[in-house]
Amino acid sequence: MADEKQDRTVELNFGGETRAFNVDDPVLPGWIDDAALQSGGYPYKKKLDQAEYDSDLKKLQIELVKVQLWQQATGKRIMAVFEGRDAAGKGGAILAASAYMNPRSARVVALTKPTETERGQWYFQRYVSHFPTAGEFVLFDRSWYNRAGVEPVMGFCTKDEYELFMKQVPRFEKMIVQDDIHFFKFWLNIGREMQLKRFHDRRHDPLKVWKLSPMDIAALKKWDDYTDKRDRMLKETHTDAAPWTVVLANDKRRARINLLRHILRTLDYDGKDKDAIGELDDKIIGQGPKILK
């Protein structure tokens, strides 16, 4: 007798009301679709126009090519950490940044779970080995901040390990900046309904289905736990030396444009075109947790 297909219906609490969500159902519930874009306090009712996005993105990618040429001439090192809940858009933002960069001096780091050897090392050790050398631009798709969120929420570290990390990380990052590495930390924030919508999109897109893991489904009921850890992380690791840049990312287009603008506005590179870079949208990007509602 063949095994019956597992029912992945999850009962979720939204403000005291229980709602059912089954990621395997090909029909996205209307209550998710209707609320997704403006969930979590997102300020826009429509996505950025595709033509405007394409035009702005090209200008910013041209500026990023200039950044790489400047790095090659000066040896400057740049490192950017991309964090956020599952489906926040980290990978897409990294792809937008790196699409036209020279892969010989631009690297994306997306580490798998630690090996037995790595688990016996200093926690930061396996990340340090991927830091940039002279002239490199390194982008981390998740980082050591796994220990500030997913690990304590899902039980992958002890409470003592978590508390030690929270004490050590500001000092660790201060050393990065003191060593003259241009260091960016991005938190991409999405609303709960938007996360559900993106999970559903992944499940039913044959090109993206690999992105949806069993742990994503297991984490659905832990939204509040993740929120608590996010809030503490932003409060205690947002420092003068290594501030968090928070991006409201329900609209991936606006998120990517503003994230890239922030990088380019911060760097003092040769041939910088401020008009091409444009202004930041302070409705969706800001320093530290103050932009979150």
Side-chain angles (χ1 to χ4, degrees):
M1 180 176 177
D3 292 336
E4 294 184 5
K5 187 175 180 180
Q6 182 182 5
D7 183 358
R8 293 202 287 181
T9 300
V10 180
E11 300 290 334
L12 303 174
N13 187 291
F14 281 79
E17 183 178 355
T18 299
R19 293 184 178 271
F21 173 68
N22 185 342
V23 73
D24 294 324
D25 187 336
V27 178
L28 180 68
W31 62 269
I32 295 177
D33 201 25
D34 293 342
L37 185 59
Q38 290 193 283
S39 61
Y42 193 74
Y44 289 101
K45 295 181 179 180
K46 294 182 179 180
K47 294 180 179 180
L48 182 66
D49 177 74
Q50 182 71 52
E52 183 179 351
Y53 168 71
D54 291 341
S55 176
D56 288 347
L57 181 60
K58 182 177 180 179
K59 294 174 185 176
L60 298 172
Q61 289 172 332
I62 289 171
E63 293 299 303
L64 286 167
V65 171
K66 295 179 185 178
V67 168
Q68 274 205 293
L69 294 174
W70 168 70
Q71 287 186 265
Q72 291 167 14
T74 62
K76 294 293 185 181
R77 296 169 292 167
I78 302 173
M79 187 163 68
V81 163
F82 293 76
E83 291 289 347
R85 299 180 193 264
D86 293 319
K90 299 178 291 295
I94 290 170
L95 181 59
S98 61
Y100 293 98
M101 286 185 175
N102 184 344
R104 293 186 178 88
S105 55
R107 292 187 286 112
V108 177
V109 179
L111 301 183
T112 58
K113 65 180 182 180
T115 64
E116 188 66 31
T117 297
E118 288 169 335
R119 283 197 291 270
Q121 296 172 343
W122 177 47
Y123 180 73
F124 296 97
Q125 188 167 336
R126 74 183 189 128
Y127 297 101
V128 172
S129 65
H130 294 278
F131 279 17
T133 188
E136 276 195 322
F137 197 130
V138 176
L139 306 98
F140 278 87
D141 187 345
R142 294 199 178 275
S143 68
W144 45 95
Y145 278 103
N146 282 330
R147 181 142 292 180
V150 63
E151 289 190 18
V153 170
M154 301 303 292
F156 298 151
C157 71
T158 67
K159 186 176 187 302
D160 287 345
E161 287 171 334
Y162 167 66
E163 294 295 342
L164 179 62
F165 172 85
M166 295 299 290
K167 291 178 181 178
Q168 288 183 335
V169 71
R171 288 175 282 173
F172 171 69
E173 292 176 347
K174 187 174 183 179
M175 288 191 292
I176 294 172
V177 177
Q178 286 176 334
D179 205 54
D180 201 27
I181 295 176
H182 291 281
F183 181 45
F184 298 93
K185 296 192 304 188
F186 293 106
W187 176 265
L188 277 64
N189 201 75
I190 56 171
R192 194 175 188 186
E193 288 90 343
M194 179 54 76
Q195 185 187 54
L196 294 174
K197 183 179 187 303
R198 290 183 183 174
F199 279 174
H200 187 269
D201 290 345
R202 288 178 175 184
R203 168 63 182 85
H204 299 281
D205 184 339
L207 295 177
K208 297 181 180 179
V209 67
W210 62 270
K211 290 185 175 184
L212 187 67
S213 71
M215 194 168 70
D216 292 335
I217 305 302
L220 283 176
K221 288 191 173 183
K222 297 181 180 293
W223 178 269
D224 291 339
D225 293 339
Y226 274 105
T227 299
D228 290 343
K229 292 297 186 293
R230 176 203 67 186
D231 290 349
R232 182 180 174 189
M233 179 194 76
L234 292 175
K235 179 181 178 181
E236 297 185 17
T237 67
H238 176 65
T239 64
D240 291 339
W244 279 102
T245 299
V246 177
V247 186
L248 304 187
N250 281 358
D251 177 5
K252 295 178 181 180
R253 298 170 190 168
R254 282 193 176 90
R256 293 168 188 170
I257 293 298
N258 281 274
L259 186 153
L260 297 182
R261 281 177 176 160
H262 173 72
I263 292 174
L264 294 165
R265 287 167 63 90
T266 302
L267 299 172
D268 186 20
Y269 56 94
D270 296 336
K272 184 173 182 175
D273 186 341
K274 293 182 180 179
D275 290 335
I277 296 170
E279 299 295 324
L280 294 174
D281 182 349
D282 60 9
K283 291 182 180 179
I284 66 162
I285 188 168
Q287 297 291 294
K290 60 186 178 183
I291 195 172
L292 298 177
K293 295 181 180 180

